Amino acid sequence: MSQQKVEQKKELKKNRKEIVKKNHVKSLIRNCIGIVVGLLVVAYLAFSGVQQYNKYKEANPSSLLIDNSALTDYEDSLSPEDAE
């Protein structure tokens, strides 16, 4: 082996702990960023899903609202002898 390769191997061996530590920190940061991005995607999907559901519920109500004020007025206008 050439002297240059020997020098490189010595440097790598000398700085191995620092290199491993740097790689570990980089890996940890990469994993944290991945988790945050994943959580943001899930939050966005949940939020947009809730919005779509609310739009659907407004457009398609599950119960029918009836204005019964006319019936109430009619019942009030009946005289007591008509009710018998």
Side-chain angles (χ1 to χ4, degrees), residues 42-58:
V42 169
Y44 172 74
L45 291 175
F47 180 73
S48 63
V50 168
Q51 283 185 330
Q52 292 296 324
Y53 178 74
N54 288 338
K55 285 181 185 177
Y56 173 78
K57 285 303 252 185
E58 288 176 6

Side-chain angles (χ1 to χ4, degrees), residues 22-82:
K22 283 182 186 179
N23 288 341
H24 180 69
V25 169
K26 285 181 183 179
S27 173
L28 186 64
I29 290 172
R30 195 176 309 122
N31 289 343
C32 289
I33 290 172
I35 290 171
V36 168
V37 168
L39 288 175
L40 287 174
V41 168
V42 169
Y44 172 74
L45 291 175
F47 180 73
S48 63
V50 168
Q51 283 185 330
Q52 292 296 324
Y53 178 74
N54 288 338
K55 285 181 185 177
Y56 173 78
K57 285 303 252 185
E58 288 176 6
N60 303 318
S62 60
S63 62
L64 183 62
L65 299 177
I66 298 175
D67 182 20
N68 62 354
S69 62
L71 291 173
T72 306
D73 292 342
Y74 175 71
E75 287 177 348
D76 291 342
S77 68
L78 290 177
S79 64
E81 59 232 21
D82 291 340

